[in-house]
Amino acid sequence: MGKRVRGIVGIVAALLCVGSLAGCGAKSSEPSVSDVADRFSAMEKYDVKPNGDETTVTVSKSGTLYVLAYRDNLKKAKPESCTIDGNPMKASSEDLNYPDSKGKNLFAFAQAKVRQSGDHKLSCNQSGTANLKALFEATK
C-alpha cells in the first residue's frame, strides 16, 4: 500500500472515529411530523378574545394550558395579563407553535398548570393584539 493510500485511509479512519464520538448516526431527538400532528390532535383548542372576555375551558384531567399569539403580536403580549380562574399565567417555557387555518403560525407566550378537571375561566386582556388561541394538553 502506497504512502498516499495509507494517508487517505488514516484520514477516513480519523473522521469515522470523530464522527462516532460526536454521535453521528445516532437517532435524532427531533419529533417526526406524525408525532407533532398526534400531539396537536390530542389538545383541546379554544378561541380567546384579547379584550378580557372570559372563555370557559373544560378539561377532564390535569394538564397545561397554553395561550398563543401571532408572531407580530408576541412583543406586545404579556403573560401575566392572561389569567386562569383569576390567577395570572406565566411566560411559556414551551417552544410551541401552532398553524392556524390560513397557514400562519401562533406561538405560545403564556402557560399555566391546570390541576383539576372541570370548567375553568380563561381571560386575556391583551389590547392591540389580534385574536389569541388557547391549547390545553392533558398530562399523560
Side-chain angles (χ1 to χ4, degrees):
M1 195 184 300
K3 265 184 165 177
R4 188 176 191 152
V5 173
R6 278 191 298 228
I8 292 173
V9 170
I11 291 171
V12 169
L15 290 173
L16 287 173
C17 183
V18 169
S20 67
L21 292 174
C24 289
K27 186 176 178 185
S28 172
S29 63
E30 292 294 317
S32 70
V33 172
S34 176
D35 292 339
V36 172
D38 290 346
R39 181 180 180 194
F40 283 138
S41 69
M43 291 180 173
E44 296 293 326
K45 296 145 191 86
Y46 302 89
D47 291 320
V48 179
K49 300 255 188 256
N51 63 0
D53 287 352
E54 285 187 345
T55 300
T56 300
V57 176
T58 304
V59 301
S60 60
K61 59 192 286 190
S62 63
T64 304
L65 182 68
Y66 301 97
V67 179
L68 298 87
Y70 291 104
R71 181 183 303 277
D72 52 350
N73 292 314
L74 285 176
K75 289 187 176 160
K76 295 183 261 185
K78 294 180 176 67
E80 64 278 1
S81 293
C82 289
T83 62
I84 184 78
D85 297 328
N87 299 309
M89 298 180 77
K90 298 187 184 310
S92 180
S93 60
E94 184 73 19
D95 188 19
L96 183 69
N97 65 73
Y98 179 79
D100 72 4
S101 60
K102 298 172 189 149
K104 288 183 72 177
N105 283 350
L106 294 112
F107 298 85
F109 71 91
Q111 73 180 52
K113 293 286 184 198
V114 177
R115 301 192 193 289
Q116 292 182 320
S117 62
D119 291 343
H120 299 275
K121 299 295 180 190
L122 171 63
S123 175
C124 288
N125 193 355
Q126 304 285 336
S127 61
T129 304
N131 284 349
L132 306 170
K133 180 76 78 181
L135 301 176
F136 176 76
E137 183 170 37
T139 305
K140 293 182 183 181

